[in-house]
Amino acid sequence: DFLPSDQVKEEEDLLLDEDSNIIQGEGAEPYMSTQLLKARLHDLLEDTENGSFVKMFRGSASYIANHRGTIAVYHIPGELLAWEGFPGLMDDIALTWLLGMKIVLVAGCRHQIDLRLEEDEEGEDRGYSGKVMMSSIRVTDEDTLRVVKEEAGFVRFEIERRLAKSLRMHGGLVKGSESLVGNVVSGNFYSAQPFGVIDGIDYCWTGFPRKVEVERIRQVHETSDIVLLTSLGVSPSGEIFNVNSEFLAASVA
């Protein structure tokens, strides 16, 4: 039993190469027996570390089924943007989206803020301004808030840029359409309120989550999009506060 070839020769013109088990004829393209082809395919599946990939995929199938349609909240600290594995991280997040999970990203920018403030504060004593106090909470005055706005915007667009590329690479197709699905959507998906005065220290424009707009997030997920939140929260009166990204991620979850 042999696989068909485009150029079929007479049986007597065929020569069996016993070393490779490949059937060859003069002027004909090589082809192999069905039995040998099946053996080669089996070896291919079992090739890498005795089939570790296949075993891994089989073992993860139940987890994929259980988590399809569930919400995952990822906290991305600012340090990761300078990490060489950051593109791979975005690919992994895009993969979880492709497997059916609903994604919420919370981006922090403390690392970028610290670097900016270190440059601006050389030889200058600004008191509590910009200092990180209790529970990793920063005192945010007017000057520090401006830095937070700039760095939060930088982190947001870097994540959007790299994740958009990963979504295009790993994205699926809408049935009946050739357009790719999956966008990164940012917006006012939560409101903030001031942290206040604690132990005699006024935290100024530092805040914490007041309310998470759960229904708006769900509406975005209904269109197969990814929600991206930054550490800038807006109060109902329109004031902007610097919100700790770890606290925000916990509140959203």
Side-chain angles (χ1 to χ4, degrees):
D1 186 13
F2 299 101
L3 292 178
S5 173
D6 292 338
Q7 300 180 9
V8 180
K9 293 292 185 180
E10 294 294 331
E11 183 175 356
E12 60 270 14
D13 294 332
L14 298 176
L15 174 64
L16 174 61
D17 186 343
E18 296 181 355
D19 293 334
S20 61
N21 285 332
I22 296 179
I23 305 300
Q24 296 177 330
E26 182 179 356
E29 294 182 356
Y31 60 93
M32 65 182 68
S33 67
T34 304
Q35 183 178 3
L36 179 58
L37 179 60
K38 290 180 179 179
R40 293 282 178 86
L41 291 175
H42 181 271
D43 292 341
L44 180 62
L45 292 176
E46 298 293 332
D47 186 28
T48 306
E49 296 183 2
N50 297 323
S52 60
F53 174 78
V54 176
K55 294 178 182 179
M56 178 274 295
F57 191 78
R58 290 171 179 168
S60 62
S62 60
Y63 295 96
I64 295 174
N66 291 335
H67 290 86
R68 182 180 297 273
T70 60
I71 297 178
V73 179
Y74 295 96
H75 175 250
I76 303 178
E79 296 92 332
L80 292 184
L81 270 69
W83 176 43
E84 61 181 8
F86 180 70
L89 174 63
M90 295 295 101
D91 289 341
D92 291 342
I93 292 176
L95 179 60
T96 60
W97 166 82
L98 182 62
L99 293 176
M101 298 187 70
K102 301 175 181 180
I103 308 301
V104 178
L105 302 179
V106 179
C109 57
R110 180 184 303 167
H111 176 68
Q112 287 76 10
I113 295 172
D114 288 340
L115 294 178
R116 281 284 301 276
L117 293 180
E118 288 177 3
E119 296 175 358
D120 296 342
E121 292 178 359
E122 291 182 358
E124 181 181 355
D125 184 10
R126 300 178 56 184
Y128 291 119
S129 175
K131 301 296 183 182
V132 177
M133 309 300 289
M134 57 171 289
S135 301
S136 301
I137 303 301
R138 186 188 305 275
V139 177
T140 308
D141 61 357
E142 290 283 355
D143 294 335
T144 305
L145 182 60
R146 181 182 181 87
V147 174
V148 174
K149 291 178 181 179
E150 295 173 357
E151 297 304 325
F154 167 76
V155 169
R156 168 193 167 185
F157 287 113
E158 281 297 302
I159 293 177
E160 286 185 357
R161 176 185 67 84
R162 192 58 186 82
L163 186 56
K165 178 181 179 181
S166 297
L167 291 175
R168 287 195 300 270
M169 291 176 57
H170 304 290
L173 294 175
V174 181
K175 292 182 179 179
S177 172
E178 294 183 356
S179 59
L180 288 170
V181 298
N183 294 309
V184 183
V185 180
S186 301
N188 295 331
F189 292 103
Y190 74 99
S191 58
Q193 60 187 5
F195 202 74
V197 179
I198 299 179
D199 295 333
I201 301 176
D202 185 2
Y203 284 80
C204 303
W205 302 106
T206 300
F208 61 95
R210 178 177 181 269
K211 179 183 178 181
V212 178
E213 302 294 340
V214 178
E215 289 303 320
R216 292 185 181 180
I217 293 177
R218 287 177 178 172
Q219 290 174 5
V220 174
H221 285 157
E222 287 299 321
T223 59
S224 299
D225 291 330
I226 293 177
V227 175
L228 173 60
L229 307 178
T230 69
S231 56
L232 289 175
V234 181
S235 70
S237 61
E239 297 174 310
I240 297 180
F241 293 98
N242 175 25
V243 177
N244 181 280
S245 59
E246 288 91 345
F247 289 172
L248 176 58
S251 299
V252 174

